[in-house]
């Protein structure tokens, strides 16, 4: 892609975990990056500030997330923000829309969050704007959140099914590369370099952090209420794989605290 045509890049959710990292990568490469977020007066859900922010932009990256994961609010967030973004992008002449989604979105439709993400993906496909959808596996950074959500009466009940976590740094690298490449008009899976047992990794992680909660292997436990198997949270054979293994990420995170 001609960088002269794509010098301005707007990142929706640009002040969050992934958005901040993507912004640093692209700024270092010489792009003009606008980190859009409600705290900066740019709100995809309400439409506030969108037209002004997107004026002159050729690339929009959406890594925003709903503040609520409850069924109705999360559906409202991704449906309304998706429609608002598409309208503003058409008005601005945006040439490439990149969105971060989740590996397994189409396979986990009993969960309201994934139903909303699939609606978001379909809105992007139907918008007429050239696009790339990147589906990532769960981040290393959110393993503690998985354990918290699965804890009942002090015990963590999780499926031993395989999952393939990825470091946020690897996610950001993949998103940044996709942004300056030609639109795929399709979906690309990205994942970490290793497939691990969900319950097994959480058990090991809790032990290494001094957390005494017992982790129970329960194949029926699901993932945030959705039934899973070894394919649900792992990427396909053509996925882009990051380089940071969970143990390596953990050592680095401890060293920087």
């Amino acid at each position: 892609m001609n960088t002269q045509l794509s010098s301005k890049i707007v990142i929706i959710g640009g002040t969050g975990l992934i958005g901040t990292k993507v912004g640093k990568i692209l700024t270092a490469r010489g792009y003009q990056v606008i980190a859009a977020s409600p705290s900066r007066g740019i709100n995809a859900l309400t439409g506030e500030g969108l037209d002004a922010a997107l004026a002159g932009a050729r690339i929009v990256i959406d890594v925003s997330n709903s503040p609520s994961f409850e069924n109705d609010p999360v559906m409202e967030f991704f449906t309304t923000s998706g429609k608002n973004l598409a309208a503003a992008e058409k008005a601005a002449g945006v040439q490439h829309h990149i969105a971060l989604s989740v590996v397994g979105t189409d396979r986990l439709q009993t969960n309201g969050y994934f139903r909303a993400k699939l609606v978001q993906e379909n809105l992007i496909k139907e918008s007429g704007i050239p696009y790339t959808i990147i589906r990532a596996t769960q981040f290393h950074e959110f393993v503690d959140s998985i354990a918290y959500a699965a804890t009942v009466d002090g015990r963590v009940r999780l499926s031993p099914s395989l999952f393939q976590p990825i470091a946020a740094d690897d996610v950001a690298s993949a998103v940044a590369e996709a942004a300056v490449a030609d639109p795929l008009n399709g979906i690309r899976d990205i994942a970490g370099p290793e497939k691990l047992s969900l319950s097994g990794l959480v058990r090991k992680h809790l032990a290494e952090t001094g957390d005494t909660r017992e982790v129970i292997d329960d194949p029926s436990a699901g993932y945030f209420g959705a039934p899973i198997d070894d394919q649900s949270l792992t990427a396909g054979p053509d996925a882009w794989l990051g380089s940071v293994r969970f143990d390596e990420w953990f050592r680095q995170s401890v060293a920087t605290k």
Side-chain angles (χ1 to χ4, degrees):
M1 179 175 289
N2 188 324
T3 57
Q4 292 180 337
L5 293 177
S6 57
S7 58
K8 179 179 176 180
I9 299 176
V10 177
I11 305 176
I12 307 297
T15 59
L17 174 64
I18 301 300
T20 299
K21 293 177 181 293
V22 172
K24 288 179 179 178
I25 293 170
L26 293 173
T27 298
R29 294 177 63 166
Y31 291 91
Q32 177 192 355
V33 175
I34 305 297
S37 70
S39 65
R40 297 186 175 185
I42 306 167
N43 191 322
L45 182 60
T46 65
E48 177 191 4
L50 269 187
D51 290 340
L54 268 58
R58 292 295 176 266
I59 299 171
V60 172
I61 302 169
D62 184 8
V63 292
S64 63
N65 209 354
S66 172
S68 170
F69 288 2
E70 295 297 320
N71 288 349
D72 290 341
V74 75
M75 183 62 76
E76 170 66 15
F77 178 86
F78 285 117
T79 300
T80 302
S81 62
K83 291 178 179 178
N84 288 341
L85 277 172
E89 288 174 12
K90 287 179 181 178
V94 168
Q95 297 179 357
H96 191 184
H97 177 96
I98 300 92
L100 182 61
S101 192
V102 187
V103 164
T105 288
D106 53 339
R107 301 190 293 267
L108 298 168
Q109 288 295 291
T110 57
N111 176 283
Y113 180 83
F114 294 105
R115 287 197 298 272
K117 289 298 288 184
L118 191 60
V119 168
Q120 179 196 31
E121 291 184 2
N122 288 334
L123 286 170
I124 293 166
K125 294 174 183 178
E126 296 162 2
S127 70
I129 299 167
Y131 70 91
T132 301
I133 295 171
I134 297 177
R135 286 181 175 174
T137 52
Q138 184 59 274
F139 305 164
H140 294 336
E141 286 79 358
F142 294 149
V143 167
D144 284 329
S145 297
I146 294 172
Y148 175 80
T151 299
V152 177
D153 296 330
R155 305 170 85 189
V156 183
R157 194 172 295 275
L158 285 168
S159 169
S161 297
L162 294 178
F163 84 136
Q164 199 170 354
I166 184 171
D169 284 342
D170 281 337
V171 175
S173 294
V175 170
E177 287 303 318
V180 298
D182 291 331
L184 286 181
N185 292 316
I187 297 172
R188 170 174 292 157
D189 281 1
I190 65 172
E194 53 189 346
K195 295 181 180 181
L196 305 162
S197 162
L198 177 58
S199 58
L201 177 60
V202 170
R203 181 181 295 111
K204 179 181 177 183
H205 180 65
L206 293 184
E208 289 177 342
T209 57
D211 192 316
T212 59
R213 280 177 291 174
E214 181 184 7
V215 178
I216 307 297
D217 290 344
D218 182 356
S220 67
Y223 184 73
F224 294 97
I228 58 172
D229 57 28
D230 285 344
Q231 286 72 50
S232 301
L233 306 178
T234 56
D238 297 325
W240 179 92
L241 299 183
S243 61
V244 181
R245 296 178 179 273
F246 187 85
D247 284 348
E248 178 186 354
W249 167 83
F250 178 69
R251 288 195 299 270
Q252 291 173 347
S253 67
V254 170
T256 55
K257 285 184 179 178

